[in-house]
Amino acid sequence: MSDEEKWEWQSVGGAYNQVRLTSWQHFTDFVHSVMLDYDTYIWRGQRCDDWVLESTIDRLISDSSNPITKEFSFRSNHLEQFKFAVRGRRGANPPEIKDENEWWALGQHHGLSTPLLDWTTSPFVAAYFAFIKQDKNQTSHRAIYALHKPSVEIKSREIQAAKEEANRKEKEAIRKGEKSGGFLTEAFLDYPVRPDVEFIRPLSDENHRLVNQGGLFTRAPDGKPLDDWVGETFTGASDNILIKILIPDSDREECLKILNRMNINHLTLFPDLYGASKFCNLFGEIKNY
């Protein structure tokens, strides 16, 4: 069977492209023949193909009817509340956490709504997370995303440098009296410019799952789904910066059985009692699991 019969490429826009596989069986072929020599992609699985790459805190803010979530300070207040809430609950002599993204990563691990998205270095671990759960509004296809990490890092640094230079010029203009600006304006211009998209690999030992899953996180601009950011930022580019791979939902049981034979399951990805329980449940759900 030719590659054209196994999958179909479709342009979503610019450097964002989509691949529709005719069967789960062709996913391995696609990884081996198209992606094998590119070890700089990271992967993410989502069980519905119409979901955007949106963080849980952005989804919370957009879906909530609570006016508090719409306030500008909600994100920072949310994190501060979490820091106070976990006091005395991190075990004896927990390591000190100073970095904001490390705090967000800890919260992500324990169910906090955060600006982070989970990714993995393994396409097959991503496939597992795409297929393991059922959604009440399940779409006809599952989605696995591949993101070219170096390209995003380079572009983010370019954008960050441009913003820092613009702030420097504006501060200089204020200093020379060429432009008016008060204390708040200058304080804002002095505030560190965060990269548009950050890649986060927590150093804390409190998340054993992350190690087993080959995991890392991305943090995109507040309120901006990562796929929208790629589509807008790489306009006109021809490279595959973001690839969305669609696999039929009807292949779920076959996919999970094959991944289990590859030792990719809840037992290995979640090295705790939760993982052991979920692993055993699948024997009752899937024949010959």
Side-chain angles (χ1 to χ4, degrees):
M1 182 181 291
S2 66
D3 290 348
E4 289 76 13
E5 295 175 292
K6 296 177 182 178
W7 54 74
E8 176 188 5
W9 283 91
Q10 301 167 325
S11 175
V12 178
Y16 179 15
N17 294 291
Q18 179 173 285
V19 181
R20 186 181 297 271
L21 305 189
T22 56
S23 167
W24 151 255
Q25 294 178 356
H26 304 321
F27 181 67
T28 300
D29 295 337
F30 178 79
V31 171
H32 286 176
S33 63
V34 179
M35 308 296 295
L36 188 61
D37 291 332
Y38 300 97
D39 61 351
T40 48
Y41 277 89
I42 59 174
W43 303 79
R44 174 178 171 83
Q46 296 193 163
R47 61 182 177 270
C48 290
D49 63 5
D50 58 356
W51 291 357
V52 297
L53 294 175
E54 181 180 41
S55 70
T56 51
I57 198 168
D58 282 345
R59 192 160 62 246
L60 172 67
I61 291 171
S62 62
D63 292 347
S64 176
S65 60
N66 185 349
I68 291 178
T69 63
K70 312 300 179 183
E71 296 178 0
F72 176 77
S73 60
F74 173 73
R75 288 178 174 83
S76 59
N77 290 342
H78 183 59
L79 183 58
E80 286 303 309
Q81 186 177 39
F82 175 69
K83 291 179 182 179
F84 279 101
V86 301
R87 289 180 302 172
R89 293 176 168 84
R90 295 177 56 209
N93 301 314
E96 183 180 7
I97 300 177
K98 295 182 179 180
D99 183 74
E100 176 184 315
N101 285 329
E102 290 271 348
W103 274 110
W104 282 126
L106 178 64
Q108 180 91 343
H109 172 55
H110 291 286
L112 184 73
S113 293
T114 81
L116 308 183
L117 279 180
D118 294 273
W119 295 80
T120 173
T121 55
S122 167
F124 297 100
V125 169
Y128 184 80
F129 284 112
F131 278 94
I132 187 59
K133 291 184 179 180
Q134 296 272 38
D135 193 83
K136 62 180 180 180
N137 298 314
Q138 183 61 56
T139 54
S140 61
H141 288 76
R142 307 281 176 140
I144 300 171
Y145 289 88
L147 180 68
H148 192 247
K149 183 172 175 281
S151 295
V152 174
E153 288 177 317
I154 292 170
K155 180 62 72 173
S156 292
R157 285 196 295 266
E158 291 174 353
I159 295 171
Q160 181 184 19
K163 289 179 179 178
E164 290 173 341
E165 178 63 13
N167 287 354
R168 187 195 65 78
K169 289 181 177 180
E170 187 169 356
K171 286 165 57 180
E172 182 68 13
I174 293 173
R175 187 184 65 82
K176 292 180 178 180
E178 299 170 355
K179 186 175 182 179
S180 61
F183 170 77
L184 290 177
T185 300
E186 293 193 38
F188 176 78
L189 294 174
D190 284 332
Y191 197 78
V193 177
R194 185 171 67 85
D196 264 25
V197 176
E198 295 175 271
F199 293 89
I200 301 147
R201 288 181 180 271
L203 296 175
S204 171
D205 291 327
E206 294 178 83
N207 192 344
H208 300 294
R209 296 176 181 179
L210 200 67
V211 176
N212 286 44
Q213 296 165 13
L216 68 161
F217 304 107
T218 56
R219 182 176 179 180
D222 292 340
K224 174 76 69 174
L226 185 56
D227 44 342
D228 286 353
W229 183 88
V230 170
E232 295 170 7
T233 305
F234 290 91
T235 301
S238 58
D239 296 330
N240 288 316
I241 307 300
L242 180 65
I243 305 172
K244 181 180 182 180
I245 305 164
L246 302 180
I247 304 176
D249 171 66
S250 57
D251 292 344
R252 176 176 179 265
E253 291 193 4
E254 179 184 2
C255 166
L256 292 176
K257 285 195 290 186
I258 291 175
L259 291 175
N260 188 37
R261 303 298 184 271
M262 296 167 63
N263 204 29
I264 297 175
N265 51 47
H266 255 70
L267 200 61
T268 56
L269 299 178
F270 296 84
D272 47 33
L273 291 175
Y274 168 83
S277 300
K278 291 296 183 180
F279 173 73
C280 292
N281 287 345
L282 281 176
F283 285 89
E285 179 185 343
I286 299 176
K287 184 179 179 180
N288 297 324
Y289 182 70

